Structures are given as structure tokens and as C-alpha cells.
């Protein structure tokens, strides 16, 4: 069964709606861990629309499982990621206009920049993941760059309807196989929810699922513990 990493960005989104103290994503992360989350993920965006710098520091101090920090390749963000003490860094594309991360990183176009920053994370003993579309060129380039993980973008699968969903699932399956064959570890995430997570969780080689919006939304109605237990059931039941 893949491990479940819970993205707490949207708890901070609600807090930032009033620029106040609550709900606190750090307290929420602790409750998610207590309910069985295997890791906590957050994305410090350049526009600070949800997670703030102080949240990353507090998460680092309080997360007991594994802290995964998503970051863009922008200079300031890389410096903050290097200082964050996160266990795992996931490099994502970032565009200020987007509502959420829209596509995978263009690993081929960003090769030179990645070659600059990757050794700095390795020196600190931080694991690095690249968030990529299920695309053979991106996967090959990620393996040449010798990152630890790729995270397969599951957005196209999540948005697909009817027979298209099977096609997208097969792309994910093929990509996970290719990546694993090239020695990469494989995570997946984006747009996964209680109804669509099962087939992705059942794919071979997927180690971690990063899920945020669906769990935070469910927790509004049933509480953190039940929202986590239900998602863990869906993931476990799929294996
Ligand atoms: N993985 C990555 C790299 C992301 O950027 C996001 C969105 O922040 C997620 C997973 C989680 O997506 P969702 O909130 O749709 O579950």
C-alpha cells in the first residue's frame, strides 16, 4: 500500500481568508499524523497565498513523520527550501496566475537550473522529487539527473471522463514502470479523491500519494481523524 502524505496547504488557505491564526495547518498536520498520515506536505509558494514561511519552520519543528516541501525553482524559494530542514523536496512548476499547480515540471527545459540546485540538496541529505507529467521524455531526463523520486502528476487522470480515464491510468502505469526500470522511486498526486484514488493506489511501484484538497474538504464535514481513516481505507483497500 502506498504511504499517504497529506498536503495541508488548504488549511492555510482558509486561515489566509482572514489573515488570522486559525485554522492552524500545523495543528491540523499533527491531528492528521495522529490519525495515520505517513507524511505531511506543504507548498511554500512565491505569492505566499497559503503556507507562510513561519508555517514551514513550525511544521519542521512539530512534524514527527516526514516533511515534504514543494518548491519552485525560483532563487529565493530554493534558498528557503535548502534551509527548511524538510526531509523531502518536491520541485514543481509555479505560475502566479494558476489556481493550483497545473502541469508537470518541464524537466528538459529546466535541466541546466536543476543541475545547479540538485547537488545542493544532495549535500544536505535531502531527498528530491520532480513533479512530472506521465511523459517518457521527462522521466528519462529525471533519471539522467539522478533525482531520488519523480511524482507523477495525476491531474489528467483525475479530470478524464469515461474511457479516457482508462487511457490516463494506463499512461500512469506505463510511466511508473518506466521510472522504476530506470532506478527512480515513484510518487503520485494531484486531484486524487475518495472516488478515484483506488486504481492509482493499486498501481505497482507507487510509494507515496500526495493528497490535499479532498481530505481537507472531507474533514470540514467529518473531522480530521475520520477523513484520514476513510482515505487510508480507500488506499489500503485498493492494494
Ligand atoms: N502533488 C503536488 C506536486 C501538488 O502541487 C499538489 C497540489 O498542491 C498535490 C500533490 C495535491 O493535490 P490535491 O490538493 O489536488 O490533492
Amino acid at each position: 500500500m502506498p504511504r499517504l502524505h497529506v498536503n495541508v496547504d488548504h488549511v492555510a488557505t482558509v486561515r489566509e481568508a482572514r489573515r488570522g491564526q486559525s485554522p492552524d495547518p500545523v495543528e491540523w498536520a499533527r491531528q492528521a499524523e495522529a490519525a495515520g498520515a505517513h507524511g505531511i506536505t506543504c507548498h511554500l509558494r512565491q505569492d505566499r497565498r497559503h503556507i507562510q514561511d513561519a508555517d514551514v519552520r513550525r511544521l519542521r519543528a512539530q512534524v514527527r513523520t516526514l516533511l515534504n516541501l514543494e518548491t519552485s525553482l525560483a532563487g529565493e524559494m530554493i534558498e528557503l527550501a535548502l534551509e527548511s530542514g524538510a526531509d523531502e523536496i518536491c520541485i514543481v512548476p509555479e505560475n502566479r496566475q494558476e489556481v493550483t499547480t497545473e502541469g508537470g515540471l518541464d524537466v528538459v527545459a529546466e535541466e541546466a537550473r536543476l543541475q545547479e540546485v540538485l547537488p545542493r540538496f544532495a549535500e544536505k541529505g535531502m531527498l528530491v522529487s520532480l513533479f512530472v507529467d506521465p511523459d517518457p521524455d521527462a522521466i528519462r531526463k529525471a533519471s539522467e539527473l539522478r533525482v531520488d523520486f519523480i511524482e507523477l502528476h495525476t491531474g489528467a487522470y483525475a479530470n478524464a471522463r469515461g474511457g479516457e480515464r482508462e487511457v490516463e491510468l494506463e499512461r500512469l502505469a506505463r510511466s511508473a514502470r518506466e521510472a522504476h526500470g530506470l532506478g527512480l522511486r515513484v510518487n503520485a498526486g494531484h486531484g486524487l479523491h475518495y472516488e478515484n484514488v483506488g486504481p492509482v493506489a493499486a498501481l505497482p511501484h507507487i510509494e507515496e500519494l500526495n493528497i490535499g484538497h479532498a481530505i481537507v474538504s472531507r474533514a470540514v464535514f467529518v473531522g480530521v481523524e475520520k477523513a484520514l481513516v476513510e482515505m487510508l481505507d480507500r488506499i489500503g483497500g485498493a492494494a
Side-chain angles (χ1 to χ4, degrees):
M1 161 179 159
R3 297 183 294 279
L4 173 60
H5 287 192
V6 181
N7 183 314
V8 300
D9 293 351
H10 292 298
V11 181
T13 299
V14 176
R15 180 193 61 192
E16 292 307 308
R18 292 293 166 95
R19 304 268 190 276
Q21 304 296 317
S22 70
D24 179 11
V26 182
E27 174 55 26
W28 203 93
R30 288 168 57 90
Q31 290 192 24
E33 285 186 315
H38 304 107
I40 299 298
T41 296
C42 69
H43 183 178
L44 183 66
R45 295 184 73 105
Q46 270 187 286
D47 62 11
R48 309 300 199 274
R49 68 172 70 158
H50 38 53
I51 293 292
Q52 306 296 310
D53 301 51
D55 294 325
V56 178
R57 289 193 289 275
R58 291 175 58 237
L59 284 166
R60 177 57 296 170
Q62 296 193 44
V63 164
R64 294 284 168 263
T65 52
L66 179 150
L67 180 62
N68 174 33
L69 175 67
E70 295 177 9
T71 179
S72 77
L73 277 168
E76 177 210 3
M77 307 320 290
I78 290 293
E79 298 308 320
L80 289 170
L82 281 161
E83 294 310 312
S84 69
D87 303 290
E88 197 173 314
I89 299 292
C90 181
I91 300 178
V92 300
E94 207 176 286
N95 151 10
R96 282 178 187 246
Q97 275 76 47
E98 69 195 356
V99 173
T100 180
T101 313
E102 279 166 0
L105 189 70
D106 187 342
V107 187
V108 175
E110 299 287 7
E111 180 177 7
R113 176 76 179 131
L114 286 163
Q115 272 170 344
E116 275 169 29
V117 305
L118 292 175
R120 301 183 66 196
F121 287 112
E123 256 170 46
K124 297 223 171 211
M126 294 162 128
L127 295 169
V128 175
S129 174
L130 302 182
F131 186 49
V132 297
D133 290 318
D135 160 54
D137 291 339
I139 292 166
R140 225 171 294 121
K141 190 54 78 182
S143 108
E144 284 170 27
L145 288 164
R146 298 180 165 276
V147 289
D148 303 285
F149 290 94
I150 54 163
E151 178 175 333
L152 290 173
H153 194 319
T154 50
Y157 161 79
N159 290 333
R161 295 287 166 264
E164 272 303 303
R165 179 165 287 193
E166 276 308 306
V167 173
E168 291 298 336
L169 186 64
E170 181 46 38
R171 277 181 78 202
L172 291 169
R174 199 166 48 240
S175 298
R177 267 198 311 275
E178 279 170 12
H180 178 76
L182 290 167
L184 290 163
R185 299 172 69 184
V186 187
N187 302 331
H190 207 286
L192 295 177
H193 54 63
Y194 292 85
E195 309 310 322
N196 69 11
V197 72
V200 176
L203 293 178
H205 313 306
I206 306 274
E207 291 194 34
E208 300 167 1
L209 295 176
N210 274 297
I211 308 182
H213 190 266
I215 297 176
V216 172
S217 302
R218 180 81 181 132
V220 170
F221 290 102
V222 301
V224 183
E225 182 178 1
K226 196 161 189 299
L228 257 290
V229 167
E230 287 177 5
M231 186 56 85
L232 287 163
D233 276 355
R234 296 290 167 111
I235 293 172

